[in-house]
Amino acid sequence: MTWHLRTTLFFLLAISGPLMYGQSSFFNDFYVRAAYHPGYVMPEYSLFNYLVDDYARAFTISASKRTPGKNYWAQLYNYPEYGLAVQYATLGNTEVFGHEWSVFPYYNVHIAEIGKFSLLQQAGLGVGFTNKKYDQETNFYNVAVGTTMNVHFNFELNVQYQALKKFYAYTGIAFDHFSNGNLGEPNLGINSMTFNAGLRYRIGQESEQQHFDVEPYKASTRMSLVFSAGTKHARALQGKSYLVTALSFELKPKWWRVFYPGIGVDVFYDRATHDEQSVFGNEPYKTIDDFKTGFHFTQELVYNKFSVALQEGFYFILTDKAFGHSTYHRFIIRHQINKRLFAQLSMKAHVVVLDYLELGIGYHIKP
């Protein structure tokens, strides 16, 4: 028996043992999990690729609770789980990149359940801490991580099998992104793709799932205006922080209750452009270069007052003169404050390099 499996079994039994006695209904539908992740650090830049000399490995422990359904939204999503995970991971080079400890809340959606098999999709966002970061004198090869505390994004697609009454075996693939959101330099970040395998244990009983009569959905079209702002570094190792803002207009047909496709236009203002263009650009800087314009396609997944959205954007008219990027991406988490007003947290990236984090406020012109 490998040490990974021994550690997994010990964790599951140690955490569940004390809870066996005097169980309350709180521990119904409550799961603990342990998993091992071997895989690869994904290639990005030539210097970074040269420095990666080992496989990526991670070990995760987590706890989650599956909702039996307090409203029809849980029923629509097949009674999802909400949990908290702690992960230890190597980053491809112990001497240069070190290793990472991360903590992230996540949700788990049971996409399909057939007999004892389940297809699960997991997404999480939290913080990670590394023991190695860029230092001009002692660790100048670390072009990926410039700060000790970073953003950790996790996405997994797993298949689960109920081996025993309360034990579940599962396996799948996982993608993890680790960077500081350009709050410090450098910030290329580290991406890994891993195979994962582990065990889950249900502590309490399975609750009876609640069922609701869902009213027929009325299709409509939503128009929204969003203002967002954040700070970033210029990727020129100058230690300065710059203001970045964006104004966006979105048009989304609400044809389905849980999924809104859409299109939109964006105007970005980036004060770091001057320094970035002086180092990386091929054209002389002009004041208008601080502005960029683009259009995007949106896919938004809605759960009651919360939603997550992914945008794929294309610069046009006012383009990226510093790096020459033709596309951009945004991952967005939104909370509906009332019928018209909403708040959001978003991450703007160019392919796999996270450019900056934004906080935003939005208004539905037509809800």
Side-chain angles (χ1 to χ4, degrees):
M1 182 183 292
T2 67
W3 74 269
H4 303 297
L5 184 56
R6 288 198 301 268
T7 303
T8 298
L9 291 173
F10 175 79
F11 164 75
L12 294 176
L13 294 173
I15 195 171
S16 61
L19 299 175
M20 293 287 201
Y21 301 96
Q23 284 185 10
S24 69
S25 60
F26 172 82
F27 293 109
N28 289 344
D29 311 298
F30 195 93
Y31 295 84
V32 290
R33 181 185 69 164
Y36 176 60
H37 306 246
Y40 298 90
V41 174
M42 299 176 66
E44 296 182 56
Y45 295 88
S46 56
L47 175 60
F48 179 83
N49 299 341
Y50 175 76
L51 293 170
V52 174
D53 62 3
D54 196 5
Y55 294 102
R57 299 177 180 87
F59 184 75
T60 306
I61 58 175
S62 63
S64 64
K65 187 174 176 65
R66 188 176 187 183
T67 173
K70 294 183 178 180
N71 53 50
Y72 70 83
W73 285 99
Q75 178 179 316
L76 292 175
Y77 278 85
N78 198 19
Y79 309 95
E81 298 175 33
Y82 306 92
L84 184 70
V86 177
Q87 184 180 94
Y88 165 80
T90 63
L91 302 174
N93 187 318
T94 303
E95 296 299 320
V96 177
F97 303 127
H99 57 256
E100 177 211 8
W101 285 96
S102 59
V103 180
F104 53 89
Y106 67 90
Y107 71 86
N108 226 349
V109 175
H110 292 241
I111 298 174
E113 295 177 305
I114 303 174
K116 293 185 177 182
F117 286 92
S118 299
L119 178 63
L120 308 177
Q121 179 258 306
Q122 174 178 305
L125 182 66
V127 295
F129 303 88
T130 180
N131 67 326
K132 297 280 187 177
K133 64 176 182 176
Y134 171 84
D135 185 279
Q136 191 171 357
E137 296 181 357
T138 62
N139 197 15
F140 51 85
Y141 283 119
N142 190 346
V143 295
V145 180
T147 54
T148 299
M149 187 171 72
N150 297 269
V151 175
H152 186 109
F153 172 76
N154 165 266
F155 179 86
E156 298 182 14
L157 190 64
N158 297 311
V159 175
Q160 173 180 277
Y161 174 73
Q162 187 174 5
L164 298 171
K165 183 178 179 180
K166 291 192 173 186
F167 273 99
Y168 303 78
Y170 79 96
T171 185
I173 56 173
F175 169 81
D176 289 270
H177 172 80
F178 177 66
S179 72
N180 61 38
N182 217 359
L183 297 175
E185 295 185 85
N187 180 51
L188 294 182
I190 297 177
N191 299 292
S192 63
M193 183 69 71
T194 58
F195 163 82
N196 78 82
L199 293 174
R200 282 172 27 115
Y201 178 78
R202 190 183 75 248
I203 295 175
Q205 303 301 315
E206 282 187 299
S207 300
E208 182 179 352
Q209 295 173 342
Q210 303 297 310
H211 296 277
F212 299 85
D213 294 326
V214 182
E215 295 181 1
Y217 183 69
K218 296 180 180 179
S220 62
T221 300
R222 169 175 284 176
M223 290 188 293
S224 308
L225 198 63
V226 187
F227 175 78
S228 56
T231 61
K232 63 174 284 188
H233 284 253
R235 304 189 188 279
L237 298 180
Q238 296 182 359
K240 299 179 182 178
S241 295
Y242 297 87
L243 174 70
V244 285
T245 60
L247 184 65
S248 303
F249 174 78
E250 298 179 346
L251 181 66
K252 285 180 289 195
K254 297 165 57 178
W255 293 328
W256 301 279
R257 192 186 304 268
V258 301
F259 180 75
Y260 304 161
I263 57 174
V265 293
D266 306 294
V267 179
F268 302 102
Y269 176 67
D270 188 344
R271 286 289 302 274
T273 303
H274 179 272
D275 285 348
E276 289 179 334
Q277 198 163 326
S278 65
V279 176
F280 304 104
N282 297 318
E283 300 180 18
Y285 167 81
K286 302 184 294 292
T287 303
I288 192 65
D289 293 337
D290 288 342
F291 294 89
K292 301 177 184 66
T293 54
F295 67 93
H296 66 258
F297 298 99
T298 299
Q299 304 86 43
E300 185 173 6
L301 199 61
V302 182
Y303 187 100
N304 204 355
K305 293 184 178 182
F306 285 91
S307 66
V308 292
L310 183 64
Q311 295 180 348
E312 303 86 30
F314 301 85
Y315 291 115
F316 77 105
I317 302 179
L318 301 179
T319 58
D320 180 11
K321 300 296 178 58
F323 298 100
H325 296 299
S326 58
T327 64
Y328 57 92
H329 303 82
R330 290 164 110 181
F331 175 75
I332 302 170
I333 302 173
R334 286 179 173 163
H335 173 60
Q336 197 70 36
I337 299 172
N338 56 40
K339 185 177 180 180
R340 292 186 179 269
L341 197 64
F342 61 93
Q344 70 176 39
L345 169 68
S346 58
M347 298 182 289
K348 182 173 182 282
H350 295 104
V351 191
V352 294
V353 178
L354 183 57
D355 198 10
Y356 54 83
L357 300 173
E358 308 169 287
L359 288 174
I361 190 76
Y363 183 78
H364 297 311
I365 301 169
K366 181 182 177 184

